[in-house]
Amino acid sequence: MSFTEDCDRFGNQLARLIDAGIPVKEAAAAIGLPRQRCYAILRAIDRPAGRSRGPAGTADRALIVSVYNETGSINRAAKASKVAHSVARRILVDEGLVGREKISPKGKLEAKRRCLELIAAGWSARRAAREVGVNECQGTLGSPCGRSVHLPTRGQLISLCAVS
């Protein structure tokens, strides 16, 4: 049987069962059709099952700006207006309160530079990492994207210096 025939034959019956408060799973069993087929029929006859999500959240620019001015936090401004962080940030950029550039990782570049200087001075990678205050167990320096940037070993550092 074709889909259009299923819609004609079962559409009204399925809609009445759903309007009566019967779940689609049980209505599908009563009619004798697969559950997904019943959902497809309901969509086809403009009677989607379930509650709608409601209108998409509209960003309240004034609320976002005022909360950001009070707290200095984009996250709090976004939560107050019930929008995503990216939406709140975009509004704050448009208002000129936040810069367009990405937020730079604080202290990471300086820590990596200092760690490499210590290794070049003869320190072990682990000791240099401990001195700078980064992950000493692996001798790595965490990058802002969540990956580990491995510090070069002494041999790698010597070969790098010899090349340049």
Side-chain angles (χ1 to χ4, degrees):
M1 196 176 283
S2 72
F3 182 70
T4 54
E5 289 173 349
D6 277 353
C7 289
D8 292 339
R9 185 170 175 199
F10 300 111
N12 288 334
Q13 184 182 2
L14 192 56
R16 280 195 309 270
L17 290 171
I18 299 303
D19 289 340
I22 296 173
V24 176
K25 183 177 180 180
E26 292 176 17
I31 293 175
L33 291 175
R35 180 175 45 91
Q36 292 303 320
R37 183 77 163 190
C38 289
Y39 279 116
I41 291 170
L42 288 168
R43 281 192 302 272
I45 64 171
D46 291 328
R47 298 287 302 270
R51 283 186 240 126
S52 68
R53 294 182 182 184
T58 54
D60 184 0
R61 297 179 84 83
L63 178 64
I64 291 172
V65 170
S66 66
V67 171
Y68 180 76
N69 285 335
E70 290 172 15
T71 63
S73 169
I74 300 173
N75 280 335
R76 287 187 186 166
K79 286 180 183 177
S81 185
K82 296 180 182 173
V83 294
H85 177 276
S86 59
V87 174
R89 188 174 197 292
R90 204 173 308 124
I91 289 170
L92 293 170
V93 166
D94 291 343
E95 295 291 327
L97 297 171
V98 176
R100 282 199 185 283
E101 67 280 346
K102 290 189 174 182
I103 300 168
S104 64
K106 294 183 175 117
K108 296 287 184 180
L109 297 176
E110 177 61 29
K112 183 174 184 178
R113 186 194 59 74
R114 175 76 176 125
C115 202
L116 291 173
E117 284 177 359
L118 292 173
I119 292 171
W123 291 41
S124 70
R126 180 171 290 195
R127 184 172 168 215
R130 208 174 322 152
E131 174 70 22
V132 175
V134 295
N135 186 347
E136 64 183 74
C137 298
Q138 300 165 346
T140 61
L141 185 69
S143 73
C145 62
R147 298 185 186 127
S148 291
V149 178
H150 293 275
L151 298 173
T153 62
R154 177 175 233 164
Q156 291 169 335
L157 193 61
I158 291 170
S159 63
L160 286 173
C161 293
V163 172
S164 55

